[in-house]
Amino acid sequence: MPMTDEEKFRFDLTGFLVRPAILTPEEIASVRDQVYRIKHDPDSLPPEHRAMPGGAASVLIDHPKVIEVLHEIIGKDVRLEGSYCVWRKKGEMHGPLHGGGPQQADPIFGYRCLNGRIHAGMVRVVFELTEVRKGDGGTHFLVGSHKANFPMHTDHLSIEPGQRSEFLVSYDCPAGSAVFFTENLCHAGPVWQKEEPRVAVLNAYSHLATHWHRLSTPPEVLAALPREKQAYFREPWIADFRTKPATHNTIERFLDSDEPVIDTTHKP
Ligand SMILES: O=C(O)CCC(=O)C(=O)O
Ligand SMILES: [Fe+2]
């Protein structure tokens, strides 16, 4: 069974899920080295490895322990919206609590569970490449807020120690873990508290039929990916009714075709 009943229960109840230690020590070391170079010495990398999710980080795009969860919580047709990495030093942060609440009406972010199936909109996967303990400043979540019907109440939006909501939680995990959360869950990237930097890669996945972020992955990064990983950047459509029967935009179809990935050469 790809996702256990306990994992489904936990993800539905809280809006997030941790799969500990899914990466090998070699994978952790090589992605950490790439993130270090991107942030501190990009010229030491070839251009196609200077941005996520190229180079060593491409192992994360279609990691089986990630894709099997995405198939359960998004659906069988999944694309990668974007990817970025952090090398977060003590005292640095991503930002305050955001998301959650009535945005669930929006199909891009919306969270629903119907007929025993989860249908999440955009799902973020944080690949933690540093051990994280509660209190270190890993991503924090206002659990249940992905299903909240009222706007996030200000009494629950502080991440200041001593003023935090009783529903604000984080996680413990070893390096090499994946943390999944629906983008409809109210979440924050608070101040990192440890001397050892937080090294992480954050991938945003969506249903193949939706496209929120204008893709910003550099074309040279996409061009250098193996075809089966480029498939996560195929055009966002489900069916082509000009053919009989209709053509479905599956990964297999993409692999059999010479169709290019989605075009990222346009200027903002
Ligand atoms: O940095 C973090 O822990 C959270 C990042 C975040 O909010 C996001 O990528 O949407
Ligand atoms: Fe966020």
Side-chain angles (χ1 to χ4, degrees), residues 11-164:
F11 184 79
D12 178 64
L13 184 72
T14 64
F16 81 102
L17 172 70
V18 181
R19 280 199 152 180
I22 64 162
L23 302 178
T24 65
E26 294 74 30
E27 288 167 340
I28 298 169
S30 57
V31 183
R32 281 184 64 100
D33 178 66
Q34 184 191 5
V35 176
Y36 180 85
R37 289 169 190 269
I38 287 174
K39 298 294 182 186
H40 303 100
D41 188 14
D43 291 346
S44 69
L45 290 168
E48 65 273 20
H49 294 182
R50 279 182 209 156
M52 296 288 115
S58 66
V59 71
L60 310 176
I61 295 173
D62 54 352
H63 192 289
K65 292 278 178 226
V66 170
I67 296 299
E68 67 186 16
V69 171
L70 298 177
H71 284 170
E72 295 264 356
I73 63 179
I74 295 178
K76 64 183 184 334
D77 296 312
V78 173
R79 49 189 301 281
L80 183 51
E81 283 266 326
S83 178
Y84 71 98
C85 59
V86 298
W87 186 278
R88 190 171 297 158
K89 300 200 183 79
K90 185 176 177 179
E92 295 177 344
M93 71 186 301
H94 173 81
L97 281 163
H98 55 283
Q103 289 186 66
Q104 65 177 297
D106 188 324
I108 302 274
F109 300 109
Y111 179 89
R112 296 177 299 289
C113 191
L114 285 173
N115 305 320
R117 267 224 50 198
I118 292 170
H119 300 271
M122 195 185 298
V123 171
R124 185 81 61 177
V125 184
V126 187
F127 297 92
E128 298 286 5
L129 303 171
T130 311
E131 183 190 28
V132 178
R133 294 273 152 228
K134 292 189 184 95
D136 289 348
T139 309
H140 277 56
F141 306 109
L142 205 61
V143 290
S145 58
H146 58 310
K147 297 191 262 191
N149 292 297
F150 296 98
M152 293 298 100
H153 196 279
T154 50
D155 287 1
H156 293 267
L157 285 182
S158 177
I159 52 170
E160 292 304 315
Q163 294 169 35
R164 294 182 171 186

Side-chain angles (χ1 to χ4, degrees), residues 233-248:
F233 295 93
R234 66 198 188 279
E235 287 185 339
W237 56 268
I238 300 296
D240 184 345
F241 292 103
R242 295 174 301 181
T243 61
K244 283 191 183 25
T247 303
H248 193 105

